[in-house]
Amino acid sequence: MRILGVDPGSVQTGFGVIHEEQASLSYLASGVIRTSPASSIPSRLKRIYGELKIVMECYRPDVVSIENIFVARNVRSALKLGHARGVAILAAVNNGLEVVEYTPAEVKKTLAGSGRAEKSQVQHMVRALLALSELPEPYDASDALALAICHSHSREMKRMMKALAR
Amino acid sequence: MRILGVDPGSVQTGFGVIHEEQASLSYLASGVIRTSPASSIPSRLKRIYGELKIVMECYRPDVVSIENIFVARNVRSALKLGHARGVAILAAVNNGLEVVEYTPAEVKKTLAGSGRAEKSQVQHMVRALLALSELPEPYDASDALALAICHSHSREMKRMMKALAR
């Protein structure tokens, strides 16, 4: 199964694709979709949607794991973030993909053992879990990979729970 | 010229299409895209995008006038509203349409003379300006028509200013 993680933002949207086979994970791709804060909101949203569509068509993930956010600096930044997030979710659903959501705390807890872990700790865990020779950069890309890993882990946990229940 | 007004919301998204010819306005269509709060966010966003796409293909507007918001009850509702708004903007830009934005205060001031006018006052002005036999219902639809009228008025004002400057 292939999992695409997406960390949406109005200026930078991180993405990361991993392959999961029998609980073993491998890295496929990651990167950042950058939009200029000088560009209009419509053109920025078009770019985020278009680039994510290309990533989905290229790597054909089975599911999209997207950051679920309930906090923001203020209402204005929440609206901006909501724009990017809405467009990222739409790209997934318009490509017929399932969408799953994890909060930053869930991702941190899964990867680094604590919901309050630093971004750098998560980044180091992503490198270790995917056996990468270098740290995945920037944070938006490593956070997106972490979202994909978090979903894989959550599935694995559910499988184990089911097996135990039997 | 045809103007589509859109008042986005995660539960109800209002739309209204008007035709403008030599500063004379006429009503073409209006309505509300309803999504169930019980549905998942991905399916709700897909529906808003899909229905707006149909409206755009059906009425072929030249420009989309969308509500610009800077305030919300809280961060959580701002995120939800941002989702719907981002998807509405994307529908316009993916259909090659220009997007213009007006705040609720600008719309109220243009139509009812005060930025603090009640929704019912705006609704009555929409009815009068479009010579409708009945009040356009519900508020989401009349607000969307008001957004379209506001853009027409703003264009007319700019034309007059240009003419005066000559």
Side-chain angles (χ1 to χ4, degrees), chain B residues 4 49 52 56 64 87-99:
Chain B
L4 165 62
Y49 183 82
L52 282 178
M56 288 169 193
V64 179
V87 159
I89 291 173
L90 188 75
V93 77
N94 275 358
N95 275 278
L97 300 176
E98 185 195 357
V99 176

Side-chain angles (χ1 to χ4, degrees), chain B residues 106-147:
Chain B
E106 285 173 317
V107 174
K108 286 173 179 176
K109 182 136 202 230
T110 300
L111 271 87
S114 157
R116 290 166 176 273
E118 297 290 324
K119 276 183 183 285
S120 62
Q121 283 176 268
V122 172
Q123 191 182 32
H124 278 88
M125 285 308 296
V126 168
R127 179 189 174 178
L129 290 165
L130 297 178
L132 299 173
S133 58
E134 289 177 20
L135 280 177
E137 297 272 14
Y139 281 142
D140 301 274
S142 64
D143 282 351
L145 287 166
L147 277 156

Side-chain angles (χ1 to χ4, degrees), chain A residues 7 65-71 85 100-111 114-115 122 143 146-147 150-151, chain B residues 76:
Chain A
D7 180 17
S65 178
I66 192 162
E67 188 167 82
N68 197 357
I69 312 144
F70 300 109
V71 289
R85 199 169 179 272
V100 292
E101 302 173 63
Y102 297 95
T103 63
E106 285 173 315
V107 174
K108 286 174 180 177
K109 184 135 201 231
T110 300
L111 271 87
S114 157
V122 172
D143 283 351
L147 278 156
C150 184
H151 180 57
Chain B
R76 197 180 275 242

Side-chain angles (χ1 to χ4, degrees), chain A residues 1 3 20-25 149 151-166:
Chain A
M1 144 169 282
I3 309 168
E20 177 210 275
E21 206 164 335
Q22 292 170 331
S24 157
L25 304 179
I149 294 168
H151 180 57
S152 166
H153 185 265
S154 162
R155 274 165 43 89
E156 185 60 21
M157 286 299 286
K158 278 182 195 151
R159 263 195 301 267
M160 284 167 65
M161 299 290 267
K162 261 193 193 165
L164 275 174
R166 271 191 220 116

Side-chain angles (χ1 to χ4, degrees), chain A residues 8 22 52 58 62 74 118:
Chain A
Q22 292 170 331
L52 282 178
C58 196
D62 300 283
N74 51 46
E118 297 290 325

Side-chain angles (χ1 to χ4, degrees), chain A residues 41-43 45-46 49 69-76 78-79 81-83 85-87 89-90 93-94 99 101, chain B residues 41-43 45-46 49 69-72 74-76 78-79 81-83 85-87 89-90 93-94 99 101:
Chain A
I41 287 177
S43 72
L45 295 180
K46 187 180 183 181
Y49 183 83
I69 312 144
F70 300 109
V71 289
R73 268 202 318 278
N74 51 46
V75 160
R76 196 180 277 239
L79 278 163
L81 187 55
H83 288 158
R85 199 169 179 272
V87 159
I89 291 172
L90 188 75
V93 78
N94 275 357
V99 176
E101 302 173 63
Chain B
I41 287 176
S43 73
L45 296 180
K46 187 179 183 181
Y49 183 82
I69 312 144
F70 299 108
V71 289
N74 51 47
V75 161
R76 197 180 275 242
L79 278 163
L81 187 56
H83 288 159
R85 199 170 178 271
V87 159
I89 291 173
L90 188 75
V93 77
N94 275 358
V99 176
E101 303 174 61

Side-chain angles (χ1 to χ4, degrees), chain B residues 1-5 16-21 26 28 55-65 97 148 151 155:
Chain B
M1 145 169 283
R2 284 181 178 196
I3 308 169
L4 165 62
V17 196
I18 64 168
H19 182 78
E20 178 210 275
E21 204 164 337
S26 56
L28 284 178
V55 168
M56 288 169 193
E57 284 165 1
C58 195
Y59 294 101
R60 304 199 169 276
D62 300 283
V63 55
V64 179
S65 178
L97 300 176
H151 180 58
R155 275 165 41 90

